[in-house]
Amino acid sequence: MNHRWGDIYQVPLPLPFALRTINAYIIKGSSGVTLVDAGLNIDMDVQAWQEAQAAADWKWADVEKIVLTHYHPDHYGLAGTLQQWTGAPVYLSQIDHEQAQLFFGRESQMPETMESFFAFHGLPDEWVSQIPAHLRSFHPWVEPHPQVTLLEPGETIRMGDVNYEVLHTPGHADGHLSFYDPNRKWLIGGDFLLPKITPNISLWPECHPNPLDNYLTTLARMKELEVSRVFPSHGPVFDHYAERIEMLEKHHADRLREMKAFVVEKAGATAFEVCQHQFGSNHNIHNLRFALSETLAHLEYLRIRGELSVEERDGIAYYMACAA
């Protein structure tokens, strides 16, 4: 841990996949400490938290809250263990509490649902067959699950000595929350807005049917907020808030145009074919799952807008240009 802004300390936590690091945050106050996001239940992240204790001079007994921006494993995974060590409540939105169980509950059938979903969208059998075991491989990283205190948008939550507004910022996750200090105009943004990479916007079964529209709506609404500093989950703290939103809006407009042009040129294509065109073919199953789901988020956005249609052939979905 080597970065501090007043009462907020950044804690880089290692990840064993492409992103490499997630930024969690410690917020110190007169009555205790709030942890924002948790990392994975892996030895590297436990060690990083222990090093953060020494660097910022706090103990597990000082933790009064654990606040999660969303349910994805790198944010949620260690929360149950941290709760056992601290006795602190874990705060999460209701939507993401439910989706944590949907994706990572031992009894969930989401791995099989996802297997069928990807097969329908053209993923070849050698990849499809890897999906259930891949999804279940996350269980050790997110267990034990925390006992959650639900947090609703529009509330305020005290973290350290500051009251933060709880903002619903969906798109990357359906129940994603960000936290805004209106006095300093600081935003703890999770994966809502990142300085160097674009947050993954994915279509998943049993989740929001148009996540890209959800995200673009969030960007347009949040652009009106006055923000002087963003504390993101990946990448450095930054201050070019409105400009970054505009860059992401342009990014998605360009990607929609490129994907639609490919479908038109091919006179129809599966989502997997569009994914290969857009993202290349050098993937492992982890990265391919996100690339294909992001492709689907864009294709479904275009379909719902009436710019593409879907035709099923032999159990496979093909996106088609709509007749002029």
Side-chain angles (χ1 to χ4, degrees):
M1 185 180 71
N2 53 10
H3 294 293
R4 174 187 176 186
W5 297 263
D7 57 336
I8 299 181
Y9 299 73
Q10 189 180 75
V11 185
L13 302 172
L15 300 174
F17 40 77
L19 286 173
R20 300 301 178 199
T21 305
I22 172 183
N23 299 324
Y25 293 93
I26 300 164
I27 306 177
K28 295 187 78 173
S30 55
S31 62
V33 168
T34 296
L35 309 183
V36 180
D37 287 333
L40 296 169
N41 191 1
I42 57 176
D43 290 343
M44 290 188 297
D45 287 6
V46 171
Q47 181 179 345
W49 278 116
Q50 291 169 339
E51 291 170 356
Q53 286 182 317
D57 189 27
W58 58 282
K59 304 181 294 295
W60 294 129
D62 298 328
V63 176
E64 53 185 3
K65 295 183 183 74
I66 300 165
V67 178
L68 306 181
T69 57
H70 59 297
Y71 78 94
H72 292 165
D74 50 332
H75 300 255
Y76 174 92
L78 194 58
T81 298
L82 292 176
Q83 185 173 52
Q84 290 180 348
W85 291 345
T86 63
V90 172
Y91 292 86
L92 181 67
S93 70
Q94 180 167 347
I95 295 170
D96 275 24
H97 174 53
E98 293 169 358
Q99 293 193 353
Q101 303 311 309
L102 177 66
F103 281 87
F104 308 123
R106 289 275 177 172
E107 305 304 315
S108 175
Q109 294 304 301
M110 178 56 82
E112 287 71 30
T113 300
M114 197 88 79
E115 184 180 27
S116 300
F117 176 72
F118 283 141
F120 180 66
H121 286 290
L123 187 65
D125 289 344
E126 63 266 25
W127 290 110
V128 168
S129 63
Q130 298 179 48
I131 291 293
H134 168 62
L135 288 177
R136 290 194 167 97
S137 73
F138 284 88
H139 287 160
W141 288 351
V142 302
E143 294 174 339
H145 291 272
Q147 295 295 312
V148 167
T149 300
L150 298 179
L151 194 56
E152 295 297 329
E155 294 182 9
T156 61
I157 184 169
R158 192 166 186 81
M159 298 193 289
D161 294 326
V162 175
N163 287 320
Y164 285 80
E165 298 175 4
V166 180
L167 306 179
H168 187 208
T169 49
H172 177 70
D174 291 354
H176 191 290
L177 300 176
S178 299
F179 303 95
Y180 180 62
D181 171 6
N183 293 319
R184 293 181 292 190
K185 300 180 173 55
W186 288 5
L187 183 75
I188 300 174
D191 283 349
F192 151 62
L193 197 68
L194 305 176
K196 295 185 175 181
I197 61 174
T198 58
N200 178 264
I201 309 301
S202 283
L203 179 74
W204 307 116
E206 301 183 36
C207 297
H208 195 285
N210 195 353
L212 181 57
D213 182 71
N214 209 15
Y215 185 59
L216 294 175
T217 300
T218 296
L219 289 178
R221 172 173 50 82
M222 290 291 287
K223 195 189 298 186
E224 304 303 315
L225 195 67
E226 189 175 349
V227 174
S228 64
R229 180 169 289 161
V230 181
F231 297 83
S233 292
H234 306 282
V237 170
F238 66 100
D239 59 9
H240 56 290
Y241 174 77
E243 294 87 346
R244 185 59 182 152
I245 288 178
E246 290 170 1
M247 290 169 66
L248 288 173
E249 289 173 329
K250 181 181 185 302
H251 163 82
H252 287 293
D254 290 345
R255 181 159 285 175
L256 287 164
R257 187 163 49 250
E258 291 161 5
M259 289 188 185
K260 181 179 178 182
F262 178 77
V263 170
V264 170
E265 179 187 347
K266 296 285 288 184
T270 67
F272 178 68
E273 290 169 336
V274 179
C275 177
Q276 284 193 303
H277 171 74
Q278 195 72 45
F279 296 106
S281 57
N282 185 22
H283 294 289
N284 57 39
I285 189 61
H286 180 83
N287 293 340
L288 179 56
R289 177 168 63 92
F290 283 104
L292 182 52
S293 295
E294 174 124 359
T295 301
L296 279 161
H298 287 76
L299 293 174
E300 279 297 288
Y301 179 89
L302 291 166
R303 184 191 66 80
I304 291 168
R305 286 172 61 91
E307 298 184 45
L308 295 178
S309 61
V310 171
E311 178 181 303
E312 184 177 337
R313 304 178 204 157
D314 300 322
I316 304 293
Y318 288 80
Y319 285 87
M320 314 288 293
C322 289

